[in-house]
Amino acid sequence: MNRQIRLARRPVGSARPEDWASVEEPVQSPQEGWFLGRTRFLSVDPAMRGWLDDRPSYLPPVGIGEVMRAGSVVEVVESAHPDFRVGEFVTGTFGVQEYALSDGRGAHRVDAGLAPLPTYLGALGMPGMTAYFGLLEVGALREGETVVVSGAAGAVGSLVGQIAKVKGCRVVGIAGGADKCAWLTGELGFDAAVDHRAGDVRRALRDHTPDGIDVYFDNVGGPILDAALARLALNARVVICGAISQYNNENAVQGPSNYLALLVRRARMEGFVVFDYAARYREAARELAGWLADGRLTAREHLVKGGIDDFPETLQMLFRGANTGKLILELA
C-alpha cells in the first residue's frame, strides 16, 4: 500500500492536523515508459504553506484532495523506462507519499557516491539554486560589498551567506537563537550574526553595517525587512526570496513601511522565482559542488526520521524556527 498525505481543506493561519488527510491506496506497477520510486528523503520547505492558499502565485495551488506537492529523493524499485534503472536514486517533485509513479519528466538521476542523498535536496537542490541565482544574478553581488541575509540559519540563508564569503564580501546573518548565531559565525564563517530574539535588530544592524547594506537577501519579511531597509547603502539591492514571518497570517500581509528608503538610497527591490533560471541549474550545480568539495561551502541538513504521517508536524518546525539548515523528512 502507498500512504499519502493529501490536502483535506485550506488552512486559515497555521496548517492544522485536520487540514490534512492520510490516505492509503494500492501501489501500481509502472506502464511502459514509466518507473516506480520509493521515497527515501522528502524536502520540507516554507514555500509549501503558500501552495495551500487558493490565490494567484507562481504555481497553481495544491487542490483539495490532491497529494501534497513536495520535492524528494526516491529509489527506483521497478522500471519500464529506458533511462531509469532499478536501484538508481532520482530527484523530482514526487509529492508527500511513500511511492511515486513517474514518466521521467522533471526527474533527475543523482549519485550517492558524489554527495549524500539529502544534499541533493539542499545545497545541490532547489535551496542551492535559489541562493546562487538570487544572490549573484538578482542581487548582482560585487566583491567587497556588505551582505545581510535574514533566515540565515535556514536552507537558503545559510548558503547565501557562504556564497557571499566565497565572493569576498562581508556577511551579517539574522537568525533566531544564540546557538544558530554561533553556528553562523563559527562553522560558516559569517562576520557577524544578529539574534532577532535577543534584542534590538535595528541597533544591531547599525553596529554591524557601519557603511550600510549593499545587498539584503530577505527570507523573512515583516519588521526585519523594515529594519534592513533603514540601513541601505547607496544603490543597494534588496532581494525578495520569501517572507516566512507572513505565511501564516490570518489577516493581510504586513508590507514594508520603510519603502521610501529605496528612493532615498537609489536602491531597488526585486522578487524572483528560481524556476526562471532552470536552464542554468547545471551551471550552478557545478560551481556549488566545487565549493562543497574544496570546503568553502558547508551543507547542513536537519534530518527528521519518521513516516509519511509525520509530515504535517515536520512542516510546522519551519515556522517555530526549530530547524538549522535544510529540513528533510527521512522515511524510515
Side-chain angles (χ1 to χ4, degrees):
M1 299 297 290
N2 179 26
R3 185 175 291 275
Q4 306 168 325
I5 296 296
R6 300 188 182 192
L7 182 62
R9 67 178 191 181
R10 300 209 178 277
V12 177
S14 298
R16 295 171 172 81
E18 53 267 31
D19 298 326
W20 305 102
S22 179
V23 177
E24 281 191 344
E25 64 178 26
V27 176
Q28 303 294 321
S29 290
Q31 60 186 0
E32 189 65 31
W34 290 64
F35 69 86
L36 176 69
R38 176 179 177 268
T39 304
R40 294 284 305 275
F41 298 94
L42 189 69
S43 183
V44 184
D45 302 286
M48 287 174 156
R49 177 60 188 84
W51 300 341
L52 305 181
D53 294 329
D54 189 8
R55 61 187 180 194
S57 188
Y58 59 90
L59 286 175
V62 177
I64 301 297
E66 290 182 354
V67 175
M68 178 58 191
R69 180 185 297 136
S72 57
V73 175
V74 304
E75 181 180 1
V76 178
V77 294
E78 192 174 346
S79 181
H81 194 296
D83 297 331
F84 298 93
R85 295 178 295 180
V86 171
E88 292 184 323
F89 296 100
V90 181
T91 61
T93 305
F94 299 118
V96 184
Q97 55 184 340
E98 293 176 332
Y99 292 89
L101 283 169
S102 172
D103 62 1
R105 286 180 291 183
H108 303 279
R109 289 190 306 275
V110 294
D111 189 344
L114 295 178
L117 291 174
T119 304
Y120 291 104
L121 296 176
L124 296 179
M126 207 57 66
M129 303 299 111
T130 301
Y132 184 93
F133 291 110
L135 181 63
L136 302 182
E137 295 293 327
V138 183
L141 186 69
R142 296 186 288 268
E143 184 178 357
E145 292 189 316
T146 295
V147 175
V148 174
V149 55
S150 61
V156 173
S158 60
L159 296 171
V160 167
Q162 292 183 83
I163 294 170
K165 290 302 297 180
V166 169
K167 297 296 184 178
C169 295
R170 173 175 171 77
V171 178
V172 179
I174 304 173
D179 289 345
K180 290 184 179 181
C181 289
W183 178 59
L184 296 178
T185 56
E187 185 175 348
L188 300 193
F190 284 39
D191 296 284
V194 175
D195 183 354
H196 67 78
R197 296 178 179 172
D200 188 332
V201 173
R202 292 193 183 211
R203 177 176 297 177
L205 286 179
R206 192 162 58 242
D207 293 342
H208 291 308
T209 61
D211 298 320
I213 300 170
D214 297 298
V215 178
Y216 174 56
F217 196 105
D218 189 35
N219 293 301
V220 172
I224 290 178
L225 171 57
D226 271 329
L229 290 176
R231 292 297 305 156
L232 295 183
L234 197 66
N235 301 128
R237 286 83 68 202
V238 178
V239 181
I240 302 298
C241 178
I244 194 170
S245 73
Q246 305 296 300
Y247 291 163
N248 287 324
N249 282 9
E250 295 186 21
N251 301 311
V253 168
Q254 177 185 341
S257 61
N258 272 348
Y259 78 96
L260 286 179
L262 299 169
L263 183 157
V264 174
R265 306 310 293 168
R266 290 74 138 183
R268 66 172 170 85
M269 179 186 291
E270 183 176 348
F272 77 104
V273 175
V274 70
F275 304 142
D276 295 340
Y277 296 91
R280 296 176 57 193
Y281 284 173
R282 191 178 299 273
E283 162 198 333
R286 280 196 300 267
E287 192 154 26
L288 290 165
W291 294 334
L292 284 168
D294 65 21
R296 286 187 288 173
L297 200 65
T298 295
R300 180 167 177 173
E301 294 86 29
H302 188 132
L303 296 178
V304 175
K305 295 186 178 183
I308 281 292
D309 287 338
D310 293 308
F311 166 77
E313 175 57 27
T314 306
L315 177 63
Q316 290 311 306
M317 290 176 61
L318 292 168
F319 302 99
R320 298 195 303 266
N323 65 298
T324 300
K326 177 72 183 85
L327 184 60
I328 294 173
L329 179 58
E330 179 181 0
L331 297 192

